[in-house]
Every structure is written in structure tokens, then in C-alpha cells.
Amino acid sequence: MADLPGSAVLASGYFHGYSVVGLLAVIGVLFVAVAFGAGRLLRPVVPTPEKLLTYECGVDPVGEGWAHTQVRYYVYAFLYVIFAVDSIFLFPWATVFAAPGYGATTLVEMFIFLGFLAVGLLYAWKKGVLEWT
């Protein structure tokens, strides 16, 4: 029973950290809500036909709203993501490779991983995906 007040103080200090985070979250939400509310109350509302037109990138809309997108942009972005993940995987591998007892295992794992990437890149190259025409 004697250590009950001490544990209550410990629990109080524990929850104090969470209360500070909660208070900051509430203040942040209130700040955003007040800013959006003030913007809604203070902005001028004058709808004109020009303002109601679709606007994209400073170009007036001409023709239909449907546009075809080249798939090659997505393929290049996908290839970039694959090699970015590869580079992220190389950094921890390099640190583990230097540790004693893990050299051969990590080397084999890395060559298997790079083999999968090489097969994927070879497949994309054979399909002609990397041709920019």
C-alpha cells in the first residue's frame, strides 16, 4: 500500500506525455478548422460562366473531357520505383554483409534479389518497353 502513491505519480507522468500530444492534436485541428471557416466567410462568391469552366494547367478546355494517356510514362515510373526499392534494400544489406558470420548468406540473398531485378529488366527490354518512340 505504501508504494501506491508512487505508482500513481508514475502513471500521472506517463499519461502527461500523451495529454500533451492530444492537446497539440486538438489545437492543430482547431487551427485548420478556424482557417477554413474564416476563408469560407471572407471569400467573395461571384459565380460567372468563366469561373464555372473546367480549368487545368492554364489551358482552356477544348473538345471532349476524355484524353488518352501514354502508358510508357507509367512504365518508366514503375521501373524507377523498382530500382529505388532496390537501392533502399542495398543499404541495410551492406551493413549486414560487413557483420561477421553473415557474409556468404547475405551475398547469396543479394544475388538472388538482383537476379529477379535483372530478369524483370530483361523482360521489359525484350518487350520493347524501354524504347522511347
Side-chain angles (χ1 to χ4, degrees):
M1 280 306 246
D3 63 335
L4 186 60
S7 61
V9 170
L10 183 63
S12 173
Y14 178 76
F15 289 116
H16 176 69
Y18 285 112
S19 64
V20 170
V21 171
L23 180 65
L24 284 175
V26 168
I27 289 172
V29 169
L30 284 175
F31 180 76
V32 171
V34 167
F36 275 117
R40 180 171 228 161
L41 291 174
L42 297 175
R43 71 177 178 220
V45 181
V46 184
T48 61
E50 289 83 17
K51 286 185 179 180
L52 297 177
L53 280 176
T54 304
Y55 178 82
E56 185 175 344
C57 299
V59 179
D60 291 329
V62 178
E64 297 181 25
W66 182 259
H68 293 281
T69 305
Q70 296 288 336
V71 175
R72 72 181 103 167
Y73 300 119
Y74 296 111
V75 171
Y76 276 97
F78 187 63
L79 287 173
Y80 170 76
V81 168
I82 288 173
F83 287 104
V85 169
D86 178 33
S87 66
I88 290 171
F89 186 66
L90 283 173
F91 291 116
W93 173 79
T95 59
V96 171
F97 183 70
Y102 290 104
T105 305
T106 56
L107 187 65
V108 169
E109 288 175 355
M110 182 50 63
F111 277 118
I112 290 172
F113 179 72
L114 291 175
F116 281 125
L117 286 177
V119 167
L121 186 61
L122 183 64
Y123 176 77
W125 180 57
K126 288 286 188 184
K127 293 292 269 185
V129 170
L130 302 178
E131 305 277 332
W132 191 270
T133 56

